[in-house]
Amino acid sequence: KSVPLLIGEDAHGSGFIIEITRKKSKRWFIVTNKHVIEELQEAMGEQKEPTLPYRPKWNVIFFVKPDGRTLYVSPSDELFVRYIHRDADVALIECTGLINQLEDRGIRPLRLAPREHIVRPGMELVVIGHPGLAGIDKPVPMTYTKGQIAGPEREINGLRYYQLQVPAAPGNSGGPVLDMTGQVIAIVTMRVRDNNQGQFNFALHLKYLYQLLDEVP
């Protein structure tokens, strides 16, 4: 329930709910990739990088039941694209105004691993998201895929990633990588295809999400 589908015309991605406390009040955000938001903006004919904060014209849909058919479409006037990382592929959409509506539907924030959590090769994981499949013109909702951390932490273009030994499609971008205790340890971010060795999936290190959360007053 905590992993919404972000969808517009011919573009979609995933996200996940988190909660932070500031000045004794709680705020809820949807975490996703920066590139997911940019693709949604372009798909809707909007400016790719408008001035923050802004209300999206694309939809954020929660699947209230695992049948994938019982939906809650978030009203756009309670959503704000609020923070985007300068360098890393991560963004925050504030949905604090929807806390009561989401809680009434049994939707709860996911728990983040600590800032300095150690992720080791071979760790079991679960990826949740809404991939797009070849031959199907709509995203497939509520897909759970189990796998492992494939190897040591990687540095790509100066940023830290984990290589995932798990199938993932473009619609999984922005979705959470969970360890077997249910805490978020990374964010599904990109695929790299090698003609000789196949496809590699990578998840962004949580340090960049924490850097973005440090900007929230």
Side-chain angles (χ1 to χ4, degrees), residues 8 14 32 35 58 62 65 70 75-76 93 99 106 117-118 122 129 145 154 156 160 163 166 170 175 178 190 195 200:
S14 303
T32 190
H35 81 259
W58 28 270
F62 290 87
K65 294 183 180 179
T70 305
S76 60
I93 305 165
I99 289 178
H117 183 70
I118 297 174
T145 310
R154 317 288 189 188
I156 303 173
R160 294 161 64 185
Q163 185 179 333
V166 59
L178 308 172
M190 69 177 182
N195 291 333
F200 299 92

Side-chain angles (χ1 to χ4, degrees), residues 44-72:
M44 299 299 291
E46 298 294 312
Q47 186 178 345
K48 184 176 179 179
E49 298 182 11
T51 302
L52 296 172
Y54 63 89
R55 290 191 178 105
K57 292 189 177 180
W58 28 270
N59 288 320
V60 175
I61 300 174
F62 290 87
F63 296 88
V64 180
K65 294 183 180 179
D67 61 11
R69 293 189 295 271
T70 305
L71 310 178
Y72 171 62

Side-chain angles (χ1 to χ4, degrees), residues 19-107:
E19 177 182 296
I20 64 171
T21 301
R22 294 289 188 269
K23 299 178 181 178
K24 298 183 179 180
S25 62
K26 61 183 181 181
R27 297 175 71 177
W28 282 23
F29 292 91
I30 301 166
V31 181
T32 190
N33 288 144
K34 175 183 178 181
H35 81 259
V36 168
I37 288 178
E38 291 179 343
E39 289 172 4
L40 287 166
Q41 285 289 111
E42 289 188 316
M44 299 299 291
E46 298 294 312
Q47 186 178 345
K48 184 176 179 179
E49 298 182 11
T51 302
L52 296 172
Y54 63 89
R55 290 191 178 105
K57 292 189 177 180
W58 28 270
N59 288 320
V60 175
I61 300 174
F62 290 87
F63 296 88
V64 180
K65 294 183 180 179
D67 61 11
R69 293 189 295 271
T70 305
L71 310 178
Y72 171 62
V73 182
S74 304
S76 60
D77 59 352
E78 291 291 352
L79 296 171
F80 295 89
V81 179
R82 187 77 70 178
Y83 301 98
I84 295 177
H85 199 288
R86 295 178 183 85
D87 304 308
D89 195 358
V90 60
L92 293 173
I93 305 165
E94 184 158 16
C95 57
T96 301
L98 296 174
I99 289 178
N100 291 338
Q101 294 94 315
L102 296 176
E103 287 184 328
D104 287 346
R105 291 166 172 82
I107 298 167

